[in-house]
Amino acid sequence: MLHTLPTFLHSPTRYLLFTGKGGVGKTSLACATALQLAEAGQRVLLVSTDPASNLDEVLGTGLTNLPASVVGVPGLEAMNIDPVEAAAAYRERLIGPLRGLLPEAALRNMEEQLAGSCTVEIAAFDEFTALLGNPEAAKHYDHVVFDTAPTGHTLRLMSLAKAWDQFLDTNTSGSSCLGPLAGLDQQRAIYASTVNTLADATATTLVLVSRPQSAALHEAERTSGELRALGVGNQCLVINGVFETECPEDVTALALQRRGMAAIEAADAFISSLPTSIVPLRPVNILGVHGLRLLLASESSAIATPLHDGWTPPEMEGLEDLVADLEGQGNGVIMTMGKGGVGKTTVAAAIAVMLARRGHAVHLSTTDPAAHVAQTLAGQVTGLTLGKIDPAAETAAYQKEVMTAQGAALDAAGRSLLEEDLRSPCTEEIAVFRAFAREVGHGMNRFVVLDTAPTGHTLLLLDASYAYQRELERQARSTQPEEVLKLLERLRDPAFTRILLVTLPEATPVHEAAALQDDLRRAHIEPFAWVINQSLLHSGSCDPLLQGREESEHRYLSEVVAKHATRTAWLPWQPEEPTGPEALARLAASNLKSHPITTPYVYPTKP
């Protein structure tokens, strides 16, 4: 399959939005696109709306929530929409004018109402809409390129424009879970303009990014349909990281090529429905301006043969070694966390299968809006139950519960007001949080393995305990479920909750996992171990591109073991996607000693 210049670069619209499953390369492609436009003489603003953005690392430039020039690239500026900073500014916009006019107690109450995760989301959304819905905001740029968050967050971000506009049209109480509606009401025109801009094919292009993997392509197809329903119809597809081997006798290389091509062929109907571009797998991590130029370069770009550096692999365990220790307690919660696309679902499913086969009662669930747990498990295992947190179902149940608890004591006008309040988009955040706390509580009498959402969403979910308590107080509810009251205590108990940080042996996933570990430690939660997934170490490949990728792993394997982790497990890249109980069990049993080189290859020595 030949490399093709992305179709959206032939005649680019003013706004380009990149979205897709976590880990497919949205940030790299957004950065490379912005770079190419700038080097063609355009004035470009590159914006990340991802709560777990790694734009700084890819560009090699420190960024804030204000546009900053990218060193060495005239015409290109970039910024991160930092959700926390945006929320602080949003609160001050609402509360600042009232200081000195209202009692301190009233101001503190408002601040509490505006301290939750929903405020963080709406504040970040305000920044997003300011660039799309206000023509003056980005008038100095020819193009605005958005590196959006993982799919679930992106869909929510886009749907908020309509959700809040509808809420403002029907709400008569003057308040919401975000506090006074005056602040939201001021945004009505910008929200409406944002919806129109997203739907305008002459102004906006949505770039769906995928890997040549079944799960990523399924996610892109689902996203495409949901975004069309929101009116975003000008779409194209980029399949990133497509591999064709130069070494036809190489078992690993052939398996990687076959797996990618099989996924592409299976998704042919979807791929054929959109303008589609192919970006080949590159031998190096895409970091810095030089790496970004390579990403969209022609196939003639040289691939250097790696040079063996005398490196010795650090000591790493197999996943089975971790499970042997995890099962000692007999119950509790095991959570996989990390950047989207690193294989959290696969690792969680492999652990669940192994625990169940060792005779334990296990419940495997997910808090990820783009859940793929059932697809990965693909079979039944004695002692293992499967679940997921369904946002729509949880929201409906929560709304019914609140209406039942409070509605009976209200008159018709009061019930109407309560129903309006519960239509707020923030209600879903509360409902999902309750379900998360409930799943954690099930670990008191069994093992609960939780495949969590990508990093930013997960942290918002964990931080929501205090926001949830304030929400209950605001809604005048008198009791809280026991699982909510005990959630933080359980998460902080290392004998009950064991967190595994999952990463790939690459720069961005490793550094994002390290930042997540710092955040968890500040919350008094200590990770149990790191899991390095999909490693090419000992692959024995004779393909020069895969040799380059294997050698690039060395520094990150050493960094994790020596600098970040107190305990590290290693998992090899699998010739076949590990789906189904047998494949997952084999993966869990993998370790360095049982994974010898399959096709010996002698590295050339450095001159």
Side-chain angles (χ1 to χ4, degrees), residues 275-343:
T276 299
S277 308
I278 301 297
V279 175
L281 185 68
R282 298 304 186 183
V284 295
N285 288 317
I286 304 300
L287 295 174
V289 171
H290 173 72
L292 291 169
R293 288 195 183 105
L294 174 64
L295 183 61
L296 295 180
S298 68
E299 283 282 60
S300 61
S301 300
I303 299 176
T305 300
L307 297 175
H308 181 50
D309 54 8
W311 175 83
T312 300
E315 290 292 327
M316 296 179 287
E317 304 175 70
L319 195 60
E320 190 172 24
D321 299 317
L322 296 186
V323 172
D325 286 349
L326 289 169
E327 70 173 336
Q329 187 72 14
N331 69 306
V333 174
I334 300 164
M335 297 170 64
T336 57
M337 300 178 72
K339 179 178 171 61
V342 298

Side-chain angles (χ1 to χ4, degrees), residues 474-553:
R474 190 186 65 78
Q475 292 182 353
R477 298 195 59 204
S478 58
T479 60
Q480 296 185 41
E482 180 185 9
E483 57 263 23
V484 173
L485 290 171
K486 293 186 176 181
L487 177 63
L488 283 179
E489 174 188 339
R490 287 169 174 166
L491 292 177
R492 290 168 174 163
D493 181 359
F496 182 77
T497 299
R498 275 65 62 92
I499 291 176
L500 303 180
L501 296 176
V502 184
T503 184
L504 303 179
E506 300 172 7
T508 299
V510 166
H511 297 155
E512 188 162 314
L516 172 57
Q517 179 167 261
D518 290 340
D519 289 335
L520 289 169
R521 285 172 172 169
R522 280 195 289 272
H524 308 291
I525 300 171
E526 182 64 29
F528 177 77
W530 284 52
V531 178
I532 299 175
N533 192 28
Q534 297 179 29
S535 172
L536 287 167
L537 182 64
H538 290 337
S539 69
S541 176
C542 65
D543 187 278
L545 188 147
L546 294 189
Q547 292 167 18
R549 292 192 69 85
E550 179 181 339
E551 184 153 333
S552 71
E553 291 184 5

